[in-house]
């Protein structure tokens, strides 16, 4: 066996090569890779051929500290301990000794970042932790980016990731959150509960975008409620909660829906701070509002002017709730459509991406050409193919393919948005297929989109059920009709030939009408007389 090569002590700080025992090498305290991973394959390779690529080490405290090559050192040490070292080969590993890096902790961290990124990628949180260490050494974002060969935006997002908590770093390491998505989460840095809610049960950045959009809306509503509450309390108005059965089955009523006994309207501003009155704050989809109420209108002698229905108050409330839910769903669908549009451009807005929909687009052009005549979103088409449909006049085959796919996507989106907005469409049945196709291609439906799809499926099932019942009813009617005809045929008396006496007159042999040939034109008769 060959003994380890002693590290020479040159007068200069120039790097040099040395053969060192891997078991005597010391791991770097700032090692970015927290887990070395499975070393089985690397250990087997070392057992067969040894270590071919030099580790990078720094001479410190009478030994050598690893900067790059922790996995190689660990695998080599395991092979030695197990007696698996190549026969006749020195029990050492080649090392590039860097005296010039002694005491330069930032440079050592930079080296680990660069070296690891050139091999098996660091996790997002490991890389972010490395940038954070460099920041502690006094390096700003621009300098970190320069030294690591990264863009400043990348470094900034990574540094933000270190401040977002364990839920965000775990999601980043699992591939559910990219550094590009971190900017979306930064505004919730001070709200770990919301952060965890956003990251829960999402599988991609699209799901995060949907949830961020929804939490942003909720925060906006919460801020609006706080502002209205402060304004009302400053004016001496009592804030009251909506009573059970509001607004159709309770004593409380809105002041603007009341009149005095003599039919005079009541000014809400004049009574809002008086005893027996208050304000209800109502949360809306992305805002909030308030209205003044009278706690007991009848005790003031007021009469109600609100709408009156023959249905029960509970039925009316249910109808209003359904309408409000549908209105909110439409607003959510508009919000989701903006996210979905980004996906469409990213997924199909290239020649390669368009090919995935080309056959489907050609099928529509042949079988359902009328569907492609929908009002077209020209901006969406431009984002998808970088041009206008009029280019098809002179375009070649490849360009025509992209234009056709862009036209199909635009028609599908117009059809989907028409139905989402409550408008009629002759092609409502295509929406479920369209959303399913996008889901297959990697898009994650928002809750609103999933709700719309479920509603469309339920409507189609209800339609089919109604058709089936109608067909059954028609079949029963035809069966009953056939039974009646069969019954009548069986009970009908036989037809008997009756011979009339000769003196009887057949209807066709009656005496001629004496007036048959008379001129029936009264005017002419009078003139002749």
């Amino acid at each position: 066996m060959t003994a380890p090569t002693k590290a020479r002590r040159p007068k200069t700080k120039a790097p040099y090569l040395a053969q060192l025992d891997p078991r005597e090498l010391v791991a770097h305290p700032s090692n970015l890779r927290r887990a070395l991973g499975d070393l089985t394959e690397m250990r087997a390779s070392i057992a067969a051929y040894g270590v071919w690529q030099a580790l990078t080490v720094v001479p410190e405290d009478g030994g050598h500290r690893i900067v790059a090559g922790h996995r190689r050192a660990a695998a080599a040490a395991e092979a030695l301990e197990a007696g698996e070292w190549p026969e006749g080969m020195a029990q050492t590993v080649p090392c590039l000794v860097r005296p010039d890096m002694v005491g330069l902790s930032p440079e050592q961290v930079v080296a680990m970042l660069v070296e690891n990124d050139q091999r098996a990628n660091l996790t997002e949180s490991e890389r972010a932790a490395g940038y954070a260490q460099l920041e502690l050494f006094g390096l700003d974002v621009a300098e970190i980016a320069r030294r690591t060969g990264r863009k400043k935006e990348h470094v900034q997002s990574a540094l933000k990731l270190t401040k977002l908590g364990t839920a965000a770093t775990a999601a980043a390491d699992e591939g559910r959150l990219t550094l590009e998505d971190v900017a979306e989460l930064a505004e919730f840095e001070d709200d770990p509960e919301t952060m965890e809610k956003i990251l829960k049960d999402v599988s991609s950045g699209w799901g995060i975008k949907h949830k961020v959009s929804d939490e942003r809306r909720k925060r906006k509503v919460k801020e609006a409620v706080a502002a209205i509450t402060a304004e009302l309390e400053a004016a001496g108005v009592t804030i009251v909660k909506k009573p059970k059965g509001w607004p159709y089955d309770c004593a409380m009523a809105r002041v603007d829906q009341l009149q005095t006994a003599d039919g005079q309207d009541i000014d809400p501003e004049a009574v809002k701070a008086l005893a027996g009155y208050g304000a209800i704050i109502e949360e809306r989809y992305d805002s909030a509002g308030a209205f003044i109420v009278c706690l007991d209108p009848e005790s003031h002698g007021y009469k109600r002017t609100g709408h009156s229905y023959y249905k029960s108050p509970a039925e009316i409330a249910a109808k209003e709730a359904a309408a409000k839910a549908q209105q909110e769903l439409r607003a959510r669908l508009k919000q989701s459509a903006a996210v979905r549009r980004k996906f469409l451009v990213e997924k199909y807005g290239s020649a390669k991406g368009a090919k995935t929909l080309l056959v489907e687009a050609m099928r529509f052009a042949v079988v359902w050409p009328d569907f492609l005549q929908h009002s077209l979103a020209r901006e969406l088409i431009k984002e998808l193919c970088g041009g206008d449909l009029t280019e098809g006049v002179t375009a070649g085959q490849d360009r025509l393919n992209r234009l056709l796919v862009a036209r199909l996507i635009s028609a599908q989106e117009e059809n989907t948005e028409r139905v989402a907005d409550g408008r009629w469409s002759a092609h409502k049945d295509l929406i479920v297929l369209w959303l399913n196709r996008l889901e297959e291609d990697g898009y994650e439906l928002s809750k609103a989109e999933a709700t719309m799809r479920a509603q469309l499926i339920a409507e189609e099932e209800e339609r089919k059920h109604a058709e089936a019942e109608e067909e059954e009813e028609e079949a029963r009617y035809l069966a009953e009709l056939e039974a009646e005809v069969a019954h009548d045929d069986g009970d009908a008396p036989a037809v008997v030939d009756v011979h009339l006496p000769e003196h009887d007159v057949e209807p066709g042999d009656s005496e001629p009408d004496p007036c048959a040939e008379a001129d029936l034109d009264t005017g002419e008769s009078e003139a002749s007389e």
Side-chain angles (χ1 to χ4, degrees):
M1 297 295 179
T2 305
T5 304
K6 292 183 178 180
R8 58 188 176 88
R9 305 280 184 178
K11 294 181 180 179
T12 65
K13 291 186 176 182
Y16 60 90
L17 288 172
Q19 291 288 336
L20 304 176
D21 188 331
R23 294 166 294 188
E24 295 179 358
L25 300 178
V26 180
H28 200 288
S30 298
N31 182 25
L32 303 180
R33 196 177 294 283
R34 294 191 291 269
L36 295 177
D38 187 2
L39 300 174
T40 304
E41 291 185 3
M42 182 176 287
R43 172 176 157 181
S45 174
I46 291 174
Y49 304 107
V51 176
W52 284 36
Q53 188 169 6
L55 291 68
T56 302
V57 299
V58 175
E60 287 185 4
D61 301 329
H64 293 85
R65 193 179 300 281
I66 303 172
V67 172
H70 286 83
R71 298 181 79 247
R72 280 167 281 163
E78 286 185 8
L80 282 170
E81 292 295 337
E84 298 173 350
W85 199 256
E87 186 176 353
M89 184 177 290
Q91 296 183 353
T92 59
V93 295
C95 296
L96 176 63
V97 184
R98 296 288 303 271
D100 56 317
M101 294 180 69
V102 173
L104 300 179
S105 296
E107 296 297 339
Q108 295 174 19
V109 175
V110 169
M112 283 188 282
L113 280 167
V114 174
E115 196 272 346
N116 277 290
D117 270 345
Q118 290 174 351
R119 298 178 183 279
N121 288 338
L122 293 168
T123 64
E124 295 287 13
S125 62
E126 287 173 339
R127 186 178 295 109
Y131 295 154
Q133 288 187 48
L134 293 176
E135 193 175 40
L136 292 175
F137 285 124
L139 277 65
D140 61 16
V141 171
E143 182 62 16
I144 295 172
R146 186 187 69 80
R147 294 197 186 194
T148 58
R150 295 281 186 169
K151 292 182 178 180
K152 288 195 294 185
E153 294 79 8
H154 169 86
V155 175
Q156 287 172 335
S157 295
L159 290 173
K160 286 180 182 177
L161 177 62
T162 63
K163 302 175 183 178
L164 298 184
T166 56
T169 54
D173 289 345
E174 293 166 5
R176 296 184 291 114
L177 172 69
T178 67
L179 291 183
E180 287 71 23
D181 297 323
V182 167
E184 298 275 355
L185 295 172
E187 63 185 275
F188 301 100
E189 177 184 340
D190 59 344
D191 191 350
E193 184 176 339
T194 299
M195 180 79 68
E196 187 172 349
K197 189 186 303 182
I198 291 172
L199 295 170
K200 185 179 180 181
D201 299 329
V202 293
S203 57
S204 70
W206 296 107
I208 290 174
K209 286 181 175 63
H210 285 308
K211 285 197 172 184
V212 165
S213 180
D214 194 48
E215 290 301 328
R216 192 176 287 143
R217 176 191 63 79
K218 291 179 181 178
R219 177 173 284 191
K220 184 178 178 182
V221 172
K222 187 176 180 180
E223 291 172 352
V225 169
I228 293 173
T229 301
E231 182 181 349
L232 290 171
E233 289 179 344
V237 180
T238 302
I239 308 297
V240 297
K241 293 182 178 179
K242 288 182 182 179
K244 184 179 180 180
W246 174 267
Y248 302 104
D249 193 20
C250 62
M252 194 182 301
R254 291 173 52 158
V255 170
D256 59 359
Q257 294 181 352
L258 297 172
Q259 285 184 343
T260 59
D262 57 357
Q264 298 297 314
D265 292 335
I266 306 166
D267 181 9
E269 290 297 315
V271 300
K272 65 181 182 181
L274 301 178
Y277 297 86
I280 288 179
I281 299 176
E282 185 178 55
E283 293 184 5
R284 291 156 191 171
Y285 176 71
D286 58 357
S287 61
F291 40 80
I292 306 303
V293 297
C294 178
L295 305 185
D296 188 359
E298 280 69 29
S299 67
H300 289 77
Y302 296 150
K303 57 183 180 180
R304 302 171 187 262
T305 61
H307 292 294
S308 176
Y309 303 95
Y310 291 106
K311 295 181 179 180
S312 68
E315 290 174 328
I316 295 170
K319 182 179 179 181
E320 290 291 327
K324 183 177 180 181
Q326 194 63 30
Q327 184 179 7
E328 290 186 358
L329 177 61
R330 290 173 184 171
R332 289 175 183 268
L333 287 171
K334 286 184 178 179
Q335 173 183 299
S336 299
V339 177
R340 188 173 68 247
R341 181 165 178 161
K342 293 179 182 178
F343 169 82
L344 293 171
V345 174
E346 181 177 315
K347 183 69 178 179
Y348 309 114
S350 64
K352 181 179 179 181
K355 286 182 180 179
T356 61
L357 286 178
L358 180 57
V359 173
E360 187 172 340
M362 294 174 68
R363 186 173 290 114
F364 270 84
V366 173
V367 183
W368 301 293
D370 63 309
F371 178 73
L372 300 182
Q373 300 303 316
H374 274 291
S375 299
L376 301 175
R378 299 189 181 278
E379 289 300 318
L380 175 57
I381 291 176
K382 185 177 292 185
E383 289 180 47
L384 285 165
C385 61
D388 191 82
L389 292 177
T390 55
E391 294 179 16
V393 176
T394 58
Q397 182 65 53
D398 291 340
R399 187 64 178 157
L400 282 171
N401 290 344
R402 287 193 66 184
L403 291 170
L404 179 59
V405 169
R407 182 163 199 147
L408 171 65
I409 293 173
S410 177
Q412 290 279 22
E413 283 300 289
E414 169 63 16
N415 184 46
T416 302
E417 290 179 20
R418 281 181 65 86
V419 175
D421 200 33
R423 292 177 286 164
W424 179 84
S425 171
H427 304 285
K428 184 188 291 188
D429 55 320
L430 296 177
I431 295 176
V432 172
L433 300 176
W434 177 238
L435 294 178
N436 289 346
R437 175 56 191 267
L438 297 184
E439 213 172 32
E440 290 172 4
D441 284 350
Y443 179 67
E444 183 175 351
L445 298 183
S446 67
K447 287 185 178 180
E449 290 166 331
T451 298
M452 179 175 70
R453 180 173 65 179
Q455 288 180 350
L456 291 173
I457 292 174
E459 288 177 9
E460 180 63 14
E461 290 177 350
E462 184 177 350
R463 184 189 67 79
K464 290 181 179 179
H465 181 69
E467 284 183 355
E469 287 186 340
E470 187 175 335
E471 290 174 358
E472 290 177 3
E473 181 65 26
E474 185 177 358
R476 283 195 297 269
Y477 170 76
L478 291 175
E480 291 173 0
L481 188 62
E482 289 176 0
E484 288 178 5
V485 171
H487 178 74
D488 290 342
D489 289 344
D491 296 341
V495 177
V496 179
D497 229 355
V498 178
H499 295 280
L500 297 176
E502 293 182 0
H503 63 273
D504 285 347
V505 181
E506 291 284 344
D509 297 335
S510 60
E511 294 182 5
D513 186 352
C515 300
E517 297 180 2
D519 191 351
L520 299 180
D521 189 334
T522 306
E524 290 184 8
S525 299
E526 291 176 352
S528 63
E529 291 176 359

